[in-house]
Amino acid sequence: MTTLSKDNAAKVFLPASAQNGLPRSLSAIRQRLGLLKWLAPTGLLLVVVIYEIGPARWIHDVIGETHHFLAEIVIYGSVGPLLTFTLLHFLGRWLEERETSDLQAQVLARARQQAEVGHQLSDEVLQSLFAVSAMLASLEAGAAELLPAEQLQLRNARTTLDQTVQQLQAYLLHKPVSKE
């Protein structure tokens, strides 16, 4: 049986981005945040410029200064909070994705570790059972000085042990066990 060291197992089972030091989801979040750092101020600047060039001047000249002042409160009072809400909403979703991804990675790592321990334990149990079976066979071969009842018990113990080993092997290899 070949065993992997923890370092080699991490290289085999982790994605390339995680092997480089950053989990894939964290790297994606950093990229998205970098994009948002530029998009949010740029978008806000465009809204202000378009509003000031177009509707703001018209409202001031045609409707009056009071309405212009109220329109600015409505526009600037709604665009900033709306943009903030949208950014925080997307950031929250990305963080939830990351947490879910991290949790899945932890569950998968735990399952792999348990499978490895189970496989190692199964190998050790089978080897021990084979050793006991071989010892019983050698005792049975040299059991001429034992009473017939003791010889029968020894033979029955070896037969039962051999059947148990076969059933365990079949179970571990997911093969159906034939009852004899």
Side-chain angles (χ1 to χ4, degrees):
M1 178 178 120
T2 59
T3 58
L4 295 174
S5 70
K6 289 183 181 180
D7 295 333
N8 290 338
K11 289 178 184 174
V12 171
F13 296 121
L14 293 177
S17 60
Q19 292 175 19
N20 295 335
L22 280 181
R24 182 175 49 219
S25 60
L26 185 57
S27 174
I29 288 174
R30 286 182 186 215
Q31 287 176 340
R32 290 173 184 171
L33 285 176
L35 181 65
L36 285 176
K37 269 194 319 193
W38 292 103
L39 285 180
T42 304
L44 198 53
L45 177 68
L46 284 175
V47 167
V48 169
V49 168
I50 290 171
Y51 172 74
E52 289 296 329
I53 290 175
R57 182 171 297 276
W58 178 82
I59 291 171
H60 185 270
D61 293 344
V62 175
I63 300 177
E65 191 169 326
T66 305
H67 287 88
H68 169 74
F69 182 67
L70 291 174
E72 283 190 348
I73 290 174
V74 169
I75 294 293
Y76 297 133
S78 63
V79 170
L82 184 63
L83 183 62
T84 303
F85 174 81
T86 303
L87 291 176
L88 290 176
H89 172 73
F90 283 118
L91 182 61
R93 283 182 45 196
W94 293 332
L95 290 175
E96 286 176 15
E97 289 174 13
R98 177 176 178 230
E99 288 171 356
T100 301
S101 174
D102 289 347
L103 182 61
Q104 288 173 343
Q106 289 173 0
V107 168
L108 183 60
R110 193 174 307 127
R112 284 190 178 126
Q113 183 182 22
Q114 288 175 347
E116 184 178 327
V117 167
H119 184 68
Q120 184 178 6
L121 181 61
S122 299
D123 284 349
E124 290 172 3
V125 167
L126 277 175
Q127 289 174 8
S128 298
L129 290 175
F130 280 131
V132 171
S133 179
M135 188 171 62
L136 286 175
S138 69
L139 285 174
E140 190 178 349
E145 64 273 351
L146 294 176
L147 296 172
E150 292 172 335
Q151 290 176 358
L152 181 62
Q153 283 181 337
L154 192 57
R155 193 170 332 143
N156 287 341
R158 192 173 66 90
T159 303
T160 302
L161 183 61
D162 289 341
Q163 288 174 351
T164 302
V165 168
Q166 289 174 356
Q167 288 175 348
L168 183 58
Q169 277 182 319
Y171 173 76
L172 293 174
L173 298 174
H174 303 291
K175 293 181 182 177
V177 178
S178 61
K179 296 280 181 172
E180 295 174 15

